Amino acid sequence: MRRKLCLLFATLTLPLSLLAGNGDDFGTWTAINLKAGITDKLKAQLWFEMRTKDNVSAIDCFNIFPSLSYRILPYVELGFGAEFVDARVRKDIGFRPYATLFLSSGPLSFSLREMPFIEIYNDGTPTSFSLRSRIRTSYNIPSTRITPYVNVEIFTKKHWDKTRYYAGIDFGFGKRSSIDVFYMYYTFANKDCQRHLLGLTYNILVF
C-alpha cells in the first residue's frame, strides 16, 4: 500500500517537477458536468468549472457551459453550446456550434470534432473567431467501467494559436455517474512558458 501511495503521489506531482526546470505554470481544472437524455437522440449538458493558475495560488476563471446535441446519424452528432466565463478581470461570452464524427470497434472508440468558436469580450477586446479541432481515442477496458483516453485539441485563428494534449481515465461508478481524471499539457503560440494542468470532472446523468 505504501508503494502504491508513493507511486500515485509521484504521478500527480510530476507536472510540478517539470515546472521547476523550465518556468512553466501549473494549475487545476475541476468541474461538475450534468447530463440529461431528453430523447434517444437529443442530449443536454450543463457544465460548471473552476480553473486555477500561478502554481495553484490564484483563481484563473469560473466557467458555465450549457449545450444541446442531436445524433442525426449513428456516427454523426450536431450540437450547439454557449460559454460564460468570469475571469475576474473580465467576463466573456462564447458560442460553440459543432459537429462530431464517431467511429468504434469493440472497446476502442475514435471521434473527430470540429467547432467554430466565437468569443465576445466586455473589456473592449475585439471579438475572436477560431476553429477548435479535437481528436479523441478511448478504450473501454472489458468487463469494467474504466476508460483510458487521449485527446488532442488544436485552436486555429489565422494561424495555429494553441494546443491541448490530454491523457486521462474515466472511472464509472453507480448507474449514473463517473469521475474523469486527466493531465493536460497546454502549449501556446509565441509564448516561451507553457502550462501543465491536472483535471477532475464529476459527471452525473440526471435523467
Side-chain angles (χ1 to χ4, degrees):
M1 178 61 71
R2 182 175 297 177
R3 288 183 179 179
K4 291 181 179 180
L5 291 175
C6 290
L7 179 60
L8 177 61
F9 179 80
T11 301
L12 294 177
T13 57
L14 176 60
L16 291 174
S17 65
L18 294 173
L19 296 177
N22 59 19
D24 288 356
D25 186 34
F26 174 73
T28 59
W29 290 8
T30 53
I32 296 176
N33 182 24
L34 305 179
K35 302 179 180 181
I38 300 172
T39 68
D40 290 342
K41 295 182 178 182
L42 182 62
K43 311 294 182 183
Q45 288 191 83
L46 184 58
W47 183 289
F48 302 91
E49 183 178 62
M50 181 185 75
R51 301 179 181 180
T52 66
K53 62 180 181 178
D54 299 336
N55 296 328
V56 202
S57 66
I59 299 296
D60 185 5
C61 61
F62 295 94
N63 302 327
I64 300 176
F65 306 133
S67 66
L68 286 172
S69 62
Y70 188 79
R71 189 69 69 100
I72 61 170
L73 293 170
Y75 50 86
V76 177
E77 180 179 85
L78 299 180
F80 184 84
E83 175 176 300
F84 303 94
V85 179
D86 183 350
R88 305 180 72 89
V89 296
R90 70 174 198 272
K91 293 178 172 61
D92 310 337
I93 299 175
F95 299 98
R96 308 171 160 201
Y98 62 90
T100 307
L101 171 68
F102 297 93
L103 298 173
S104 63
S105 177
L108 183 64
S109 297
F110 169 85
S111 68
L112 171 63
R113 188 212 65 203
E114 294 290 354
M115 177 189 290
F117 184 51
I118 304 167
E119 198 165 12
I120 301 171
Y121 307 91
N122 72 343
D123 62 354
T125 302
T127 298
S128 173
F129 298 89
S130 60
L131 177 66
R132 295 172 56 170
S133 305
R134 188 192 71 189
I135 298 174
R136 176 186 173 98
T137 302
S138 62
Y139 182 82
N140 179 246
I141 300 174
S143 302
T144 74
R145 294 187 62 192
I146 300 174
T147 306
Y149 66 88
V150 292
N151 285 355
V152 177
E153 185 175 18
I154 301 171
F155 293 65
T156 307
K157 293 184 177 178
K158 292 182 178 179
H159 305 284
W160 171 72
D161 185 45
K162 54 190 176 183
T163 301
R164 297 171 176 173
Y165 302 91
Y166 295 78
I169 303 177
D170 188 84
F171 299 90
F173 60 94
K175 294 182 179 180
R176 295 178 173 272
S177 57
S178 69
I179 290 180
D180 177 12
V181 181
F182 65 86
Y183 163 72
M184 184 206 300
Y185 181 54
Y186 202 169
T187 64
F188 301 85
N190 303 317
K191 287 188 178 181
D192 294 331
C193 297
Q194 312 303 328
R195 299 192 69 193
H196 303 266
L197 296 153
L198 286 179
L200 177 66
T201 303
Y202 181 33
N203 299 293
I204 304 171
L205 181 62
V206 180
F207 59 86

